[in-house]
Amino acid sequence: MNCRDVQKFIYVYLDEEFDKRESLEFETHVAHCAGCRNLVRFEEHFRVRLRNHLRPTTAPDSLRQKICGALDKSQTISEPSRVAALPHRRLNYRSAAWLGGSLAAGLLFTTFGGWQQVANLPESGEGNVAILGAGIGGGFVSANDSFPIPIEQTTDTAITTHQGNPPLDVQGNEDTVQRYLSSKEFPLRPPLVETFETRLLGARVVQFGASPVILYTYDHGGRRISALQYMAPGSFPVDGKLFNHGQHQGYNLVSFGQGESTVTTLVSELPQKELQRLIPGPISR
Amino acid sequence: MGFSFGKFRVGKARTRFEEEALVHMDAIYGSALYLTRNERDAEDLTQETFLKAFRHFDKYEQGTNCRAWLFRIMTNTFLNKTRRPVREMSFLEEVDTHDRDSGASEHSAHLLDPEAGFLSRMFGDQVRQALESLPPDFRTAVVLADLQDFSYKEIADIMDCPVGTVMSRIFRGRRLLQKQLFDYAQQQGVITGSISIESQETKADGAISLSEYRQKKTASHGA
Ligand SMILES: [Zn+2]
């Protein structure tokens, strides 16, 4: 170790991040070098004073109460899956009634224009993002799937719905919406985190083929976001995955998995990056 | 597939959350205060952190470091709001830019003030002011290290970056603090020396790489 290394790694040493041998090398050099000794003495002193001045604070009681109040209203989902009830709502996949409904809904919602683009999206550089490739897509529409909506098809559904801006079944914040959905046997949790700039306006149950999709409408800094929440097709794990749709017809779309089996598609005029930032994802890697 | 919103279950999660997460509220708020630089935003950030944490409490693995997990949520929330949305910069670009902007020197302030007169005149509000003037990434790294005493590895997990990046941020963060505090002291006439930091030789190379050092070490041992 030379003077330059000592300069460079001084904090690594002082923060005790060196291993034993490295510390020894560091100390050996310093023992024989007056200049480095002065530096170490100074930095040690500085570090101690800095730490002494960064005093811990106590959170105000009013804040504690506010947070506890908000937690009382918020429902935690600690057990298996927050959407496990959805499959019960599913109609018989092969029944004639379903086919009829599906065709009608298909006319309204479904075109398959979104397919190719999804598969060819440029990869995001982030490690925690998985782009759904065409390979997985093949498994989507098997008759055994509990929820026969290919994620790709939702591109058009999402855009049509967002453009149509249909009246909401229920208006209000997360609690109101969640209560409403529970009463309709959807024990679901709204997909985005409400903050002072992102507010939930309400929700609507939309039928997509045989399957219910929940449309949530959010306001984000004055701009509208539609969030369509539905069961992931098939049994591959979706949690923490990002299915990046990119831009379509002037809107930005992004889908992400949550819990064991829900996927949410966001559509808005917001820039893609901003949209992605709303995904409650710091914890999903 | 059963599903239950049974009171028992919800109540249990809430109790667990209180015991494991809410006990860290002072730490989160205290750090949020340094990050956001004002009480209102610190309260908002604290509240947002705990609400997010509660909603995702099912993803938290019991018995792991809940404090670090909460800081990860808080740091991400804060940095996502603070980082310039214009264009993602790679780490090296980021360091370069900060260096150019801030004049961060590789040299310790003890060269400027060998008597270290300013150290004995470091006051709490000046330290706070200096810390608040740091770029968000550096500020966060210093707060996590010097206020919260997290290890480099923990900070890397919290900030979602390599350990080498943490080293650089702490290094440059602390050196920037020294420069700021030195300037304050000079303004107040505590230090009369006329050496300005600009006249000092500035850094020759970029990020701090311990692994590079270790590799070099191994190579020279092998030779
Ligand atoms: Zn030396």
Side-chain angles (χ1 to χ4, degrees):
Chain A
M1 193 162 294
N2 55 32
C3 295
R4 186 154 177 81
D5 291 329
V6 167
Q7 275 227 6
K8 222 170 171 176
F9 297 120
I10 175 99
Y11 294 132
V12 181
Y13 170 75
L14 291 176
D15 290 332
E16 295 175 20
E17 294 280 344
F18 263 154
D19 63 30
K20 266 219 170 70
R21 205 201 61 192
E22 287 160 348
S23 286
L24 203 68
E25 285 171 5
F26 188 97
E27 283 160 4
T28 307
H29 175 94
V30 170
H32 295 98
C33 177
C36 287
R37 215 153 41 235
N38 281 340
L39 173 76
V40 172
R41 207 173 296 140
F42 171 88
E43 290 291 353
E44 206 168 11
H45 193 175
F46 169 75
R47 186 176 168 279
V48 169
R49 291 197 69 88
L50 172 63
R51 287 179 169 228
N52 283 343
H53 281 300
L54 299 181
R55 283 284 160 78
T57 326
T58 311
D61 279 342
S62 56
L63 175 65
R64 205 172 290 275
Q65 281 159 18
K66 210 164 93 186
I67 290 175
C68 285
L71 291 179
D72 286 338
K73 284 188 219 150
S74 162
Q75 229 161 359
T76 182
I77 312 292
S78 61
E79 294 299 327
S81 159
R82 64 192 85 118
V83 286
L86 262 185
H88 300 305
R89 302 272 308 182
R90 150 185 23 123
L91 300 180
N92 186 341
Y93 187 73
R94 272 170 278 221
S95 78
W98 182 85
L99 283 174
S102 154
L103 283 175
L107 285 176
L108 187 60
F109 285 136
T110 327
T111 59
F112 288 83
W115 262 114
Q116 297 312 111
Q117 270 152 306
V118 173
N120 295 332
L121 266 181
E123 291 223 7
S124 157
E126 286 167 68
N128 59 344
V129 166
I131 302 291
L132 190 68
I136 308 175
F140 273 172
V141 201
S142 107
N144 293 325
D145 281 342
S146 58
F147 191 81
I149 300 181
I151 286 168
E152 286 75 10
Q153 284 180 35
T154 58
T155 303
D156 301 289
T157 313
I159 290 174
T160 316
T161 313
H162 182 76
Q163 283 171 332
N165 193 13
L168 301 168
D169 295 343
V170 57
Q171 292 186 7
N173 63 11
E174 202 167 296
D175 300 319
T176 319
V177 167
Q178 212 164 352
R179 220 171 300 127
Y180 170 80
L181 292 175
S182 287
S183 76
K184 297 284 171 195
E185 292 172 52
F186 299 116
L188 291 164
R189 179 161 70 177
L192 301 185
V193 178
E194 275 195 290
T195 64
F196 49 96
E197 77 179 326
T198 313
R199 296 187 197 284
L200 181 59
L201 302 177
R204 177 187 175 92
V205 181
V206 185
Q207 206 67 21
F208 180 73
S211 314
V213 170
I214 316 295
L215 162 71
Y216 301 87
T217 301
Y218 288 90
D219 175 277
H220 177 79
R223 280 191 278 188
R224 186 163 57 92
I225 299 170
S226 298
L228 283 110
Q229 190 182 45
Y230 45 95
M231 286 291 290
S235 51
F236 67 93
V238 294
D239 196 16
K241 287 206 165 63
L242 186 76
F243 311 101
N244 191 340
H245 290 219
Q247 205 177 33
H248 292 268
Q249 302 173 35
Y251 298 98
N252 281 309
L253 281 94
V254 62
S255 299
F256 58 96
Q258 272 179 323
E260 281 177 5
S261 49
T262 16
V263 174
T264 297
T265 298
L266 302 180
V267 49
S268 174
E269 282 159 311
L270 281 171
Q272 189 76 15
K273 280 242 159 90
E274 211 171 316
L275 209 54
Q276 286 190 18
R277 253 181 227 127
L278 298 173
I279 298 172
I283 345 89
S284 54
R285 272 159 148 320
Chain B
M1 245 190 280
F3 192 89
S4 162
F5 268 127
K7 281 226 162 65
F8 174 70
R9 197 170 269 175
V10 169
K12 216 171 101 186
R14 173 66 190 271
T15 310
R16 242 188 72 212
F17 190 75
E18 274 173 23
E19 285 166 358
E20 293 190 49
L22 283 184
V23 291
H24 300 295
M25 196 183 295
D26 287 341
I28 292 285
Y29 175 75
S31 301
L33 212 48
Y34 281 111
L35 298 189
T36 63
R37 302 183 281 200
N38 71 75
E39 287 169 9
R40 234 205 84 159
D41 289 343
E43 291 198 10
D44 282 345
L45 181 57
T46 305
Q47 175 160 4
E48 207 175 327
T49 300
F50 280 104
L51 289 185
K52 275 185 187 171
F54 191 51
R55 290 180 50 141
H56 296 282
F57 200 43
D58 51 344
K59 288 193 197 144
Y60 161 70
E61 283 171 47
Q62 218 171 342
T64 60
N65 190 344
C66 191
R67 188 166 145 266
W69 181 69
L70 290 167
F71 271 91
R72 184 170 155 80
I73 298 174
M74 179 186 77
T75 302
N76 274 283
T77 307
F78 167 70
L79 289 177
N80 277 342
K81 284 184 182 161
T82 324
R83 280 189 182 131
R84 283 153 297 174
V86 195
R87 167 176 97 81
E88 294 275 313
M89 283 194 276
S90 75
F91 165 64
L92 284 175
E93 277 181 292
E94 207 177 304
V95 167
D96 283 352
T97 310
H98 282 313
D99 277 354
R100 257 201 318 277
D101 293 352
S102 59
S105 168
E106 189 144 285
H107 289 297
S108 161
H110 92 292
L111 284 179
L112 306 177
D113 179 18
E115 306 294 312
F118 85 90
L119 277 187
S120 53
R121 305 288 289 263
M122 260 170 76
F123 296 113
D125 53 339
Q126 287 176 345
V127 172
R128 200 198 63 234
Q129 211 180 322
L131 183 58
E132 288 180 357
S133 74
L134 298 185
D137 287 323
F138 293 14
R139 190 157 83 234
T140 305
V142 171
V143 165
L144 292 173
D146 288 320
L147 178 65
Q148 296 301 336
D149 209 22
F150 281 116
S151 72
Y152 287 8
K153 175 76 184 60
E154 285 170 321
I155 298 173
D157 284 344
I158 290 170
M159 297 188 75
D160 221 353
C161 67
V163 171
T165 307
V166 172
M167 284 181 193
S168 299
R169 286 178 182 170
I170 288 175
F171 185 92
R172 295 188 203 290
R174 286 183 184 153
R175 286 291 158 88
L176 276 169
L177 278 178
Q178 286 180 3
K179 183 184 181 305
Q180 278 287 349
L181 291 164
F182 180 80
D183 287 352
Y184 292 149
Q186 216 171 18
Q187 280 160 23
Q188 291 173 335
V190 178
I191 302 160
T192 48
S194 58
I195 318 161
S196 97
I197 203 142
E198 277 74 32
S199 70
Q200 291 290 319
E201 179 202 341
T202 46
K203 65 162 202 88
D205 61 0
I208 301 173
S209 171
L210 187 55
S211 55
E212 207 176 276
Y213 171 76
R214 283 175 178 155
Q215 262 165 24
K216 236 174 31 202
K217 215 65 217 173
T218 320
S220 68
H221 277 295

